[in-house]
Amino acid sequence: MSAADLLHGILVVFGVGLVIFVHELGHYLAARWAGAKVEVFSIGMGPKLFGWQSRGTLFQVAALPIGGYVKLAGEYPEAGRTAQPGELGSMSVFHRFVYYSGGVVMNVLFALVVMPIVLLVGLPGVEPVLGESTKGSPAWHARLEAGARVEAVNGHDPFDFMGLAMEIALSGKKPVELDLVLPGTSERVRVAVETEFDEDTGTRKLGVTNAVSPDAKLVVTPETPGAVAGLTNDDRLLGVVGQPDALSPLQQFQRGLERGGPVTIRVAGPDDVVREVSITPAEKRNLKRRLFGVMPMQNVVRDVRSAPADSPERPQFEAGDRIRSVAGRRIYWSSDFLPALLAVDGPFEIVVEREGGVVTLPSPGLSAAEKVALDADLFLDTDLDSSTITIQPGRAAALAGVLDGDRVMSVDGHMTTTWKEVYDAIQVATREDRSAVLEVWRAVAAADGGEQVATLAIEVTPAPAIETDYGIALATYMGVQRADSVPEALRVGALASWRLLANTWRTLQKMLFTDEVSTKNLGGIITISVLSFHSASQGMTQLFFLLAFISLNLAILNLLPIPILDGGHLMFLLVEGVKGTPVSERTLGYSQVVGLVLLLSLMIYVTYQDVVRWFLTT
C-alpha cells in the first residue's frame, strides 16, 4: 500500500466516524438541553477500546465501527421502578421527542453546513454532457446527440452526470423530459425520451454514457505501454491509423483497441505538433482463468433504428437478420460491418439469413457518411441461437487451427446447435483442465470454383486468459461547480441538500412499493468505504460532498418507523401523545425484538449485496 492510499484510508475512517459522531452529538446535545443525564457517548459498538469520563459521561471509542450510541440514565429501567429526575423515563413526551430526533436534525444540519463550504471551494464533477448512446437503448432510438448538454431533467437541474443518472432512475415509467443544448449551438430544446429498466443495475436508464473531454485529452497511466511509447496527459487524440476517417476520434479509439494487438494513434501535444505513436499492449496471463478463445458470432441484427426522413434509399434490414456478407466480404463481428461497407465503391449487395432462408439486399452507391449512418442505425448483437463461432486472434482455438465462421457440430462427442451448448461443453473441459475435441463444419473451396462443406476434428487445449493493457484512456468531461458568493453557496447548498434528501426518500419509496428501483442498489459499510476511498482520492471536496450525502441517508434511515431506530421511538411517542399513556412494556419489548430482527436482516442483506457488487461481479 502506498503512502497516498494509507492517507486516503485514514481520511475514510475519519470521514465515516465524523458522520456517526455528528449524529450521536445531536442526541447528546438534545439530552443535555432536556436536562437528562448521559451515561455513555460511544463511537462504534461492542467492547470499549479507549475512553474518558467528563461531566458524568463516559466518552468512548468501541471496537466495531458500525455505528454508535448515546445511553441515558434510566434508559433500560427495571420493571415497576419509578424513574428518577434526569432519567429518560422522567422526561416529557416533548423532551423525549427532541432527544430522539436530535441525531436526524444534526445530520441534516451537517449537510446544510458542509454543502455551501464545498460549493465555495469548488466541487469537481462529471459534466451532464451526453456521450455515445448504447445501441438498442432509448437514447439511441431518440437519436440523442453526443455532446449535448443536459440543462434539466423533468424541470430539475441535474448539476452533474451523477445527478442526471439519479433523476432518470427515479423518473418512473413515464418518458423523461430533457432540456438540451445541442453541440455547437446555444439553442435550448426539449425532448421526451422513454426509459427502460436495466436488470443489471436495478434502475431505469436511458442508455447513454458520459462524454469524454471536448479536446479528447488522454489519460496515460505511468509505466504502461502508452507511457513508454511517449504519450502524456497533455496529448490530444486526433484519430487512429487504419480506422475510417468518417468516424469520430472516440469511435476510432474504441474500435482500434477493442480487439487487442498493436495500434497506432495520431495525437497532438501542447505545441500542436501532430505525431503518430505506435503502442503494443502489455499482455498479462491470468493463470486462474483458462480459456479456449472462441466466441459467438456478432452478426445478428438485434434492432434497427428508423432512418431520418431525408435519408437516401438503403438496404431494408429486419430484426433477427443474420448478416452473412457485404459485397462478398464475410461478417463475423459487429466491427467488421462498417469496414466492409467502406471498402466497396458503387452499388453492392448484402446477403442475410432471414426466417430460415437467404435474402439478398441490394444497395445503391452510398457516400462514406451515409455508410457510417447506416452502421450507426444497426444494432448487431451476438448470435446465441447458432453454433457458428468466431475466434480470438492468437488464443488457444486460433493456434489449434479453428477459423472464424466454423460451425461447431459437437464438443467431445456432445452435439451442439447453439452457442450456449458450445459454451457449456467447453466449460466442462475448462473446469477439468483438459483439452476438448471440436468437430466443425467449414466452408472450403470446391474443385468447380464453388464451396463445399468439410468436416474437421480439432483438438484445442485451453490456455491462460490473456489480459491486454494499453495504459491509455480518454479523459472524462469534468467541470467544477462553484458558487460566486456566500449567499449563492447557501442557496445552492440548501437546494442540493434538499434534492439529495428528497431523492433518497423517493428511492426508498420506489424500492419498497414499486418495481422501478431494485433493492440490489442498497449498500452497506463496504460500499460506503469503497466510495469514500474513491472520493478521498479525488480530493477533500469530493469526500465531504459524499459525507454530506451519507449524512442525509443516515437521517432518512433513522426516521424509518422501525423499533430500535429513532423513527420507531418517535412513532411510539406519537402514540403516547395521542392516547395519553406510554405503550405497554410488553408491546415495547416485543417490538424491540422485531425491530432488532429487521435491522439485522437488513444489515445481512446489504452486506450480501456489497459482497456481490465488489467481490463476485467481474
Side-chain angles (χ1 to χ4, degrees):
M1 177 182 290
S2 66
D5 287 343
L6 179 60
L7 175 61
H8 297 153
I10 293 173
L11 289 174
V12 168
V13 174
F14 166 76
V16 175
L18 177 62
V19 173
I20 297 172
F21 170 77
V22 165
H23 181 86
E24 300 307 329
L25 180 63
H27 288 306
Y28 176 80
L29 294 177
R32 287 294 191 189
W33 174 83
K37 298 177 182 178
V38 181
E39 294 183 346
V40 181
F41 183 113
S42 179
I43 300 300
M45 309 291 281
K48 180 182 73 174
L49 292 179
F50 60 89
W52 63 93
Q53 288 279 347
S54 176
R55 299 179 61 187
T57 302
L58 171 62
F59 294 88
Q60 70 173 30
V61 174
L64 301 178
I66 55 173
Y69 63 92
V70 167
K71 181 178 180 297
L72 301 190
E75 190 162 355
Y76 305 104
E78 298 176 1
R81 178 179 175 274
T82 303
Q84 301 299 308
E87 293 184 346
L88 180 63
S90 68
M91 297 166 61
S92 68
V93 171
F94 173 72
H95 283 142
R96 279 179 284 154
F97 197 93
V98 171
Y99 165 67
Y100 284 117
S101 60
V104 170
V105 171
M106 279 295 285
N107 281 133
V108 175
L109 289 176
F110 176 80
L112 290 174
V113 171
V114 168
M115 288 298 292
I117 296 173
V118 165
L119 289 170
L120 281 172
V121 176
L123 177 63
V126 180
E127 291 284 314
V129 177
L130 304 181
E132 297 289 330
S133 298
T134 304
K135 287 193 173 185
S137 69
W140 179 71
H141 279 289
R143 294 185 174 275
L144 295 184
E145 190 173 350
R149 176 178 289 274
V150 181
E151 296 289 336
V153 184
N154 292 332
H156 297 150
D157 184 347
F159 294 112
D160 58 14
F161 199 85
M162 183 180 72
L164 168 63
M166 176 64 77
E167 289 293 340
I168 292 168
L170 299 177
S171 63
K173 298 179 181 179
K174 296 180 180 179
V176 294
E177 288 190 345
L178 303 178
D179 289 1
L180 305 174
V181 175
L182 301 179
T185 73
S186 58
E187 180 184 2
R188 185 162 171 162
V189 298
R190 176 169 293 179
V191 297
V193 186
E194 298 284 347
T195 62
E196 64 182 5
F197 189 79
D198 183 0
E199 293 291 345
D200 292 332
T201 62
T203 57
R204 303 197 72 80
K205 67 172 187 177
L206 282 180
V208 67
T209 59
N210 57 276
V212 299
S213 63
D215 51 3
K217 278 284 189 74
L218 291 177
V219 176
V220 183
T221 305
E223 300 179 4
T224 60
V228 172
L231 295 172
T232 71
N233 292 340
D234 292 325
D235 286 324
R236 308 188 314 274
L237 177 71
L238 302 179
V240 177
V241 174
Q243 292 295 320
D245 292 335
L247 297 177
S248 69
L250 171 61
Q251 292 168 328
Q252 293 183 36
F253 187 78
Q254 292 171 334
R255 286 172 177 260
L257 274 61
E258 70 179 352
R259 301 300 293 273
V263 66
T264 300
I265 65 175
R266 290 190 301 274
V267 298
D271 54 6
D272 292 329
V273 174
V274 178
R275 66 189 195 277
E276 293 186 355
V277 179
S278 296
I279 309 169
T280 299
E283 294 188 346
K284 179 181 177 181
R285 293 180 178 273
N286 186 343
L287 300 179
K288 296 181 179 179
R289 296 182 61 204
R290 299 180 67 81
L291 303 175
F292 278 77
V294 300
M295 302 178 70
M297 297 275 280
Q298 197 180 47
N299 62 347
V300 172
V301 179
R302 191 67 60 202
D303 204 350
V304 183
R305 184 167 63 176
S306 57
D310 57 351
S311 295
E313 181 184 354
R314 63 189 194 184
Q316 297 300 304
F317 291 95
E318 295 181 5
D321 286 348
R322 287 188 178 95
I323 301 179
R324 277 192 179 183
S325 63
V326 174
R329 182 170 172 175
R330 291 296 303 272
I331 303 300
Y332 301 114
W333 198 250
S334 61
S335 57
D336 296 337
F337 184 66
L338 182 58
L341 292 177
L342 295 172
V344 60
D345 292 324
F348 58 95
E349 291 183 340
I350 299 177
V351 178
V352 303
E353 297 177 24
R354 178 181 295 171
E355 297 179 350
V358 177
V359 178
T360 299
L361 305 179
S363 175
L366 300 174
S367 68
E370 291 165 348
K371 291 173 180 177
V372 170
L374 174 60
D375 176 68
D377 289 342
L378 287 184
F379 173 24
L380 296 186
D381 200 7
T382 51
D383 187 355
L384 303 178
D385 297 323
S386 169
S387 62
T388 303
I389 60 171
T390 186
I391 59 169
Q392 294 178 288
R395 303 303 189 256
L399 296 176
V402 182
L403 300 180
D404 285 327
D406 282 348
R407 183 176 180 184
V408 181
M409 304 307 298
S410 70
V411 177
D412 289 335
H414 299 285
M415 300 297 294
T416 55
T417 58
T418 67
W419 164 250
K420 185 178 186 308
E421 292 172 346
V422 174
Y423 177 80
D424 289 344
I426 62 178
Q427 281 297 103
V428 172
T430 300
R431 286 194 295 268
E432 297 174 358
D433 196 20
R434 60 172 175 79
S435 61
V437 176
L438 277 59
E439 181 185 356
V440 302
W441 283 4
R442 178 180 299 170
V444 296
D448 59 3
E451 282 189 348
Q452 64 181 13
V453 175
T455 302
L456 305 171
I458 304 175
E459 183 175 2
V460 182
T461 301
I466 299 177
E467 301 167 355
T468 59
D469 179 24
Y470 292 88
I472 57 175
L474 288 176
T476 301
Y477 195 163
M478 299 292 294
V480 177
Q481 189 171 353
R482 181 179 285 110
D484 297 328
S485 63
V486 172
E488 178 70 5
L490 291 172
R491 184 187 70 82
V492 178
L495 176 62
S497 297
W498 169 251
R499 290 280 298 283
L500 288 173
L501 198 62
N503 285 342
T504 299
W505 177 243
R506 289 166 62 198
T507 301
L508 188 61
Q509 286 179 307
K510 289 180 181 294
M511 279 185 183
L512 295 176
F513 306 117
T514 75
D515 58 355
E516 295 172 19
V517 178
S518 170
T519 54
K520 68 172 62 175
N521 287 285
L522 291 170
I525 188 62
I526 298 176
T527 293
I528 291 173
S529 300
V530 171
L531 295 181
S532 299
F533 186 89
H534 175 73
S535 296
S537 67
Q538 301 298 307
M540 293 299 289
T541 53
Q542 286 276 32
L543 175 62
F544 272 89
F545 174 79
L546 179 64
L547 294 180
F549 177 71
I550 293 173
S551 187
L552 292 172
N553 274 265
L554 185 60
I556 290 288
L557 175 64
N558 272 278
L559 277 178
L560 294 178
I562 298 176
I564 287 186
L565 295 180
D566 296 334
H569 291 293
L570 294 175
M571 177 183 65
F572 287 133
L573 285 174
L574 290 175
V575 172
E576 181 178 344
V578 171
K579 65 191 291 264
T581 57
V583 175
S584 69
E585 292 186 6
R586 181 178 181 183
T587 299
L588 186 62
Y590 281 134
S591 67
Q592 297 288 326
V593 173
V594 172
L596 180 60
V597 171
L598 288 174
L599 195 58
L600 289 175
S601 299
L602 178 62
M603 291 177 62
I604 292 171
Y605 181 75
V606 297
T607 302
Y608 166 76
Q609 292 295 343
D610 280 353
V611 171
V612 171
R613 181 182 295 118
W614 300 110
F615 300 107
L616 301 183
T617 302
T618 57

